[in-house]
Amino acid sequence: MLTMDDIIRDGHPTLRKVADDVQLPPSEEDKQILTSMMEFVQNSQNPEIAAKYNLRPGIGLAAPQINVSKKMIAIHVLGDKDKLYSYALFNPKIISHSVEQAYLSSGEGCLSVDEAIPGFVPRHARITVRAYDIDGKEIQLRLKGMPAIVFQHEIDHVNGIMFYDHINKQDPYFRPENALEIQR
């Protein structure tokens, strides 16, 4: 079982590397890593398990955050109308996105970043992602709102990008014109 001790912190070189593609069909080892990533995200949202193992709550995790430089992400988040978006994916890639932007009103956080970093993180309001599920089957997802933001955050991780790289350095609370504010 993964714990906070398995998560590398800001400043670790793996977080800044572009991760390698996962060979398809995925190996048993890669499937096991991805499964354990999803278990961590789900466990971190369970108050009893999180308290017992001292887990910080998370809604997404990318393999580079556990020092595995491969394109794997696990996401478990509620979207509009409390629809659950629960995906463990290999080689996720944004294949199209809206011009319209969005940002979380509360800013973003990250399991690899221990301190709060204030500011708005502009993202695309809507995205289409192509990826491969745990069995290596191709899937395509159209996302908006909170799930779109979470997917962009995790896909950034496999590309060596941290959320705070997007924050306007001169004006951290700069709101892009006509951007959608997403309450969290």
Side-chain angles (χ1 to χ4, degrees):
M1 177 183 145
L2 293 176
T3 67
M4 290 304 295
D5 291 339
D6 296 300
I7 294 178
I8 60 174
R9 299 308 202 276
D10 201 10
H12 192 292
T14 301
L15 292 172
R16 289 300 187 172
K17 280 206 296 228
V18 175
D20 295 326
D21 285 342
V22 173
Q23 292 297 310
L24 297 172
S27 67
E28 286 308 311
E29 181 187 11
D30 286 340
K31 287 181 180 183
Q32 184 50 52
I33 292 167
L34 190 56
T35 300
S36 64
M37 288 167 53
M38 179 56 88
E39 285 169 358
F40 174 90
V41 176
Q42 291 172 339
N43 287 341
S44 80
Q45 293 180 33
N46 177 313
E48 292 87 48
I49 296 173
K52 181 177 179 181
Y53 295 102
N54 198 23
L55 305 178
R56 272 178 43 202
I59 50 180
L61 185 66
Q65 292 180 271
I66 56 167
N67 204 19
V68 173
S69 194
K70 290 186 175 183
K71 292 183 177 166
M72 301 186 218
I73 63 172
I75 291 172
H76 191 76
V77 65
L78 291 176
D80 290 347
K81 300 179 184 79
D82 285 339
K83 179 181 175 193
L84 180 62
Y85 290 80
S86 190
Y87 291 96
L89 300 171
F90 295 116
N91 302 335
K93 184 177 183 163
I94 297 170
I95 57 170
S96 69
H97 61 78
S98 63
V99 173
E100 182 184 27
Q101 292 191 303
Y103 62 92
L104 290 183
S105 59
S106 59
E108 292 184 23
C110 180
L111 292 167
S112 292
V113 179
D114 291 326
E115 71 280 6
I117 298 181
F120 295 139
V121 180
R123 303 275 187 193
H124 302 294
R126 291 174 306 286
I127 60 170
T128 301
V129 172
R130 180 179 299 138
Y132 298 85
D133 69 12
I134 194 97
D135 299 314
K137 196 171 111 247
E138 184 179 302
I139 65 166
Q140 202 160 292
L141 301 166
R142 293 174 58 113
L143 304 158
K144 63 181 181 149
M146 186 67 174
I149 297 231
V150 179
F151 269 82
Q152 288 171 85
H153 180 112
E154 300 310 329
I155 290 171
D156 271 356
H157 271 306
V158 300
N159 290 309
I161 299 165
M162 299 295 283
F163 76 92
Y164 55 74
D165 296 343
H166 297 288
I167 297 173
N168 183 314
K169 305 292 177 265
Q170 277 68 49
D171 180 5
Y173 290 100
F174 174 77
R175 296 170 197 265
E177 198 173 328
N178 299 322
L180 230 54
E181 181 178 22
I182 296 171
Q183 301 294 325
R184 180 162 175 233

